Amino acid sequence: MSLPVNGELRHRIERALARFSPSWEGRDAARRAVALKMLILCELAGGRLRVVDALGLNDNTLDNYRHGKTEPRHSTLNMMAELAEVPIEYLGNDWSVEEGVIHFAPLEIPPAGFSEPYPVWNAADRILIPAYEDEAAGLPPLERRDTTWAAMPQSFWAKLSVDPENLRIVSARGDSMSPTIVDGAPMFVDISDGKLEDGRVYLFDIGEELIARRVQRLADGSLELLPDNPERYRPQHVPKERLPDLKVVGRVCAASRIL
């Protein structure tokens, strides 16, 4: 999937890249990817003035997004995509710009390869990650389940900017997070990240099952756990006083795409 850009639009995108991309150095891969998307969407949407007016942003906020200093909310990215007339499902792809063409490449996640450890997997370009084949109801917490293994290429897990020691793979179940996470997709979970950052997807242990939900922080300190399939599933509200009881397994950093 690609989109050719010509004339003044191409020049604007190239000028914006020259201005903002130097500030991405040293930032993690996910932050750089979001900054690039915001930069491109801004120009496709008609430029800074139209974006700040349509979305109610201010110049500093938009510049911070494009510099990679802060990340926009999931809803802001969606509105930017709609304003730029870019399909929302493209937001989960890898974006790049080359010679006047914007490429939207679906992220290729290698198959999990559930199995017992095998000596050939000890190659320098692979790493073993604990994997759990089922997210079905009634199963015990991850640490008490039978562990299988996935041999992942370094070229893939390095994109996640996560220590592989903290990665776990859990198969998604159901369509509550569709189209972001489809039924049966391997979810790559960073068990060291329980910060519950606004807009990110986390895996929660609610006792009888594990659920993946997107987090939205509210002004009163409470949380909304949002499904990405709102037509079939409702948000779940967690009052501020109940947050200590919320069991966070970790952040879902990839499924069918890097999140």
Side-chain angles (χ1 to χ4, degrees):
M1 296 173 284
S2 60
L3 174 66
V5 288
N6 300 300
E8 180 58 27
L9 177 57
R10 175 176 176 175
H11 293 316
R12 289 206 316 265
I13 292 175
E14 290 174 347
R15 287 196 299 268
L17 279 169
R19 176 186 174 189
F20 291 101
S21 61
S23 60
W24 303 343
E25 185 176 354
R27 305 197 189 281
D28 63 43
R31 182 65 62 88
R32 292 196 304 271
V34 172
L36 175 63
K37 291 171 185 177
M38 288 297 294
L39 182 152
I40 293 173
L41 288 171
C42 181
E43 300 307 326
L44 292 178
R48 175 178 55 84
L49 293 178
R50 183 171 185 232
V51 168
V52 297
D53 181 60
L55 272 64
L57 300 174
N58 61 54
D59 287 346
N60 288 337
T61 299
L62 182 59
D63 279 353
N64 285 340
Y65 294 156
R66 292 187 289 176
H67 278 297
K69 294 180 180 179
T70 58
E71 289 192 24
R73 292 187 174 188
H74 185 68
S75 58
T76 300
L77 269 171
N78 283 350
M79 289 188 291
M80 287 281 288
E82 291 177 359
L83 191 64
E85 298 184 354
V86 171
I88 290 177
E89 56 266 28
Y90 284 17
L91 292 176
N93 294 1
D94 282 335
W95 291 22
S96 61
V97 181
E98 185 179 4
E99 297 182 353
V101 179
I102 303 170
H103 299 280
F104 309 97
L107 179 68
E108 293 185 4
I109 292 185
F114 296 134
S115 179
E116 292 301 315
Y118 187 74
V120 75
W121 287 4
N122 293 327
D125 67 337
R126 300 224 163 212
I127 188 166
L128 292 179
I129 298 174
Y132 307 89
E133 295 196 52
D134 197 0
E135 194 201 338
L139 290 177
L142 293 187
E143 63 271 16
R144 297 206 303 270
R145 297 189 189 184
D146 293 334
T147 304
T148 53
W149 300 86
M152 306 306 301
Q154 290 188 19
S155 60
F156 171 71
W157 61 258
K159 294 181 181 179
L160 304 182
S161 300
V162 176
D163 185 338
E165 292 289 330
N166 294 324
L167 276 179
R168 302 293 184 271
I169 302 176
V170 182
S171 295
R173 186 176 180 86
D175 62 350
S176 62
M177 292 301 290
S178 177
T180 308
I181 303 173
V182 299
D183 185 25
M187 297 187 294
F188 294 74
V189 182
D190 178 5
I191 62 171
S192 71
D193 187 348
K195 296 188 293 293
L196 298 180
E197 294 184 40
D198 191 67
R200 292 191 179 274
V201 178
Y202 290 83
L203 188 65
F204 298 95
D205 183 344
I206 61 171
E208 67 276 13
E209 62 180 330
L210 303 178
I211 62 170
R213 290 293 185 272
R214 194 175 301 279
V215 167
Q216 181 178 22
R217 288 194 169 275
L218 303 181
D220 62 2
S222 64
L223 291 180
E224 290 281 316
L225 304 184
L226 305 177
D228 278 8
N229 185 1
E231 294 182 359
R232 294 192 58 190
Y233 299 86
R234 294 182 178 180
Q236 295 165 270
H237 183 73
V238 183
K240 181 178 180 180
E241 61 272 15
R242 296 290 304 275
L243 291 183
D245 300 326
L246 191 61
K247 296 181 180 179
V248 184
V249 178
R251 179 172 65 87
V252 181
C253 47
S256 53
R257 61 198 71 172
I258 292 179
L259 305 182

